[in-house]
Structures are given as structure tokens and as C-alpha cells.
Amino acid sequence: MADGVSRPTLLLVHGAWHGAWCWKKLRSVLEADGWRTRAIDLPSAGGRAGMHDDAQTVLGELELIDGPVVVVAHSYGGIPVSQAAAEAAGNVSHIVYLAALQLDVGESLLGFVGAPVPPEPRDFEPAPNDPIAMFYGDVPRPEAEEAVKRLVPQSTKSFSDVLTQAAWHTVPSTYIVCEDDQALPAQSQQLLASRSGAVHRVESSHSPFMSKPEELAALLAKIALESDA
């Protein structure tokens, strides 16, 4: 088993409308177990940046990390991670898609969900009308309400930008299906998961890093250690 020095670093990449703050509970559990973690804020959350700008942010963070990296991408975050890890200098040892959009070259978020690009697209997409039901169904209510206050508008461009590279074709990947997800239904996740080398399931809403951080941390540790074997 890898020790605390040789273990890969876990880079956590959030989804739409969120920020690095959403990983706080999970990072606490992982770091208490000796894991090094990093989390970034994607510029499309609260700004007009597109998916490729997000990918450059991920790539810039990867370049700052010494040694192997396991990237954990949540939801929309799977798209810029797939783009960025394909351009990285080889330190990404594994990608974990957590209820994430594991898209292929030529695909976009809007295209995957079957939504056309509006003729006059807005600059921003507001958070869903009922974010607690959508994202935090099994999160304690007070905590979910606090999370809702931190959500920001998401750049519309990030939803329409198309992948030009997809790292999972060359980098090993694992998909984690969240079975009670109301944001990305489990059936859609299962379709995406067929692109990964391995699939795990958790009985959770869209945000197990908040509702089941211990269970998720244990699963991520298992995946990361196996990737480093």
C-alpha cells in the first residue's frame, strides 16, 4: 500500500454553480487519513468564462502539483477535466467522474442533454429553482440551506463549448454513479459510465461529498491506491 508520501494528490474539481467550498467536509476526512488534496474555483462559476477557460485553470493547477494526481471531477466539472487532462504533462494517473459528464470529443453539455444553443444566449444560467431537491436531497437541511446561499450564476458559454480532446481515451478512469441523483439521473450516469474502466455506486443525491463524506472518502482512497499500485 502506498504511504503518505508516495500517495497521489487528489485534485477536486467542482460542478456548475458551485466552488471549491463544496469539498470542505470531504477534504477534512481525506486529509485526516493522510491524503493531500487540492481544490480549485472554476472561472465559469460566477464569471463569463467558457469551458476551455475552465480547462486551462485545471491544467494550470496540475502543473503546480509534483508527482501523480488523481483528478476527481463532479458533474459539469467532468467536461473541463476531460479536456485539461488530455493536455497535461503526464502526471494525471487516474480520473474519477463523480456523477459527472464524461463527454467525448465534439460533445457539449447542451448537446448531451438535447438542448439547443439559444439563438441569443444569455451570459449566465441561474441556479435551478429548487437547488435543495436538485443537489442536496440527503444533506442535512441547515447545511443544504447554507450551500444554496453560496451558489452563483453559471456561464452559459461553459454549457455550449465543445470538447476537442477527451483524456479518458488514454488516462484510466472510474465512474461513481450517485443512485438518488436528481440533477443527473442515474440512467444518464450509467450511459456515461460505460466510457470508464470501472464503475462504483453510492446511494446518495448529487452531492455525496456533503451528505456522505466518510463513505465517499473511503471509496476515493480505494480507487486512488489501486491507481497507484
Side-chain angles (χ1 to χ4, degrees), residues 29 41 48-49 73-74 78 81 95 98 109 115-116 118 122 129 131 134 148 157 171 181 196-197 205 208 226:
V29 177
D41 288 311
R48 290 182 172 83
H74 180 240
V81 162
I95 302 172
L98 174 62
L109 184 149
R122 297 175 293 186
N129 290 331
M134 185 73 73
V148 169
K157 180 173 169 52
V171 177
D181 198 329
S196 272
S205 68
E226 288 174 352

Side-chain angles (χ1 to χ4, degrees), residues 9-40:
T9 298
L10 298 176
L11 175 60
L12 310 174
V13 181
H14 65 81
W17 302 291
H18 287 70
W21 56 265
C22 71
W23 301 106
K24 182 178 179 181
K25 288 175 70 175
L26 177 67
R27 294 183 75 184
S28 294
V29 177
L30 286 167
E31 290 172 4
D33 192 36
W35 290 92
R36 296 184 303 277
T37 71
R38 305 278 284 263
I40 56 173

